[in-house]
Amino acid sequence: GTKTYDGNSSVQSSDLSLSGLISGETLSLSGAGTVSSSSVGSGKNITLGSLTLGNTGSGTASNYTFGNTSFEVTQRVLNASGSRNYNGSVDVNSSELTLSNLVGSESLAFSGTGTIGSAEIGNNKTVSLGSFTISNGSGAASNYTISGGSFSLSVTARPLTLSGSRSYNGNT
């Protein structure tokens, strides 16, 4: 089975599938097990915990036992969004975006630049990945990916400051 990185070493029955059943037979699977590490990786052995086979299908659970219990934890896809005042540039710095979809209180370093199609004001403009990278923070960057994520920037109108002076002329 597989699951997306969630910072948790538990493996729910819904994360798993049964293979090797005799053609036409089905069984249910319930409970939870664990893997030794919540980090991304494949070929992880599952400690069975409370995982059990059930007779709710067309097979008989007592005819089967758990064999190979291989499991994979895949990278979690990150998104980023932000906003800035109009500055005439299509370049987007990582400091203008905030990463989301991190697990719990984990944080990552985010650096590089991307681009938007137009410098003009607009909401949720798509940002290209450009040279964006993630690196370790309190979380491990290897558990995450920015590939396939949604990156957007809203560009708002730039505020102008008006100022002036005149000599007193008796008019308001």
Side-chain angles (χ1 to χ4, degrees):
T2 65
K3 76 173 183 177
T4 299
Y5 171 73
D6 63 4
N8 189 322
S9 62
S10 69
V11 177
Q12 302 302 316
S13 58
S14 59
D15 298 324
L16 301 169
S17 60
L18 296 173
S19 62
L21 294 167
I22 298 298
S23 179
E25 292 190 2
T26 59
L27 296 173
S28 64
L29 178 65
S30 61
T34 59
V35 289
S36 61
S37 165
S38 65
S39 296
V40 167
S42 60
K44 294 176 178 263
N45 288 324
I46 300 170
T47 301
L48 297 178
S50 66
L51 287 170
T52 58
L53 295 172
N55 291 324
T56 58
S58 59
T60 304
S62 62
N63 289 333
Y64 295 92
T65 185
F66 291 111
N68 180 9
T69 57
S70 182
F71 193 72
E72 179 179 15
V73 177
T74 60
Q75 289 180 312
R76 185 175 201 86
V77 176
L78 296 177
N79 303 309
S81 62
S83 65
R84 72 172 183 210
N85 290 334
Y86 171 75
N87 68 2
S89 175
V90 296
D91 293 332
V92 178
N93 294 313
S94 59
S95 61
E96 296 171 303
L97 301 173
T98 301
L99 290 174
S100 62
N101 203 29
L102 290 157
V103 170
S105 62
E106 289 186 3
S107 64
L108 296 175
F110 183 46
S111 60
T113 59
T115 58
I116 51 178
S118 162
E120 305 301 320
I121 68 168
N123 291 324
N124 300 317
K125 294 174 165 251
T126 299
V127 180
S128 71
L129 290 181
S131 67
F132 288 136
T133 60
I134 53 174
S135 55
N136 292 345
S138 66
S142 60
N143 289 326
Y144 295 93
T145 182
I146 56 176
S147 179
S150 172
F151 287 70
S152 65
L153 180 76
S154 291
V155 179
T156 58
R158 183 179 191 88
L160 298 176
T161 303
L162 298 175
S163 63
S165 66
R166 70 175 184 186
S167 296
Y168 176 74
N169 65 6
N171 294 322
T172 56

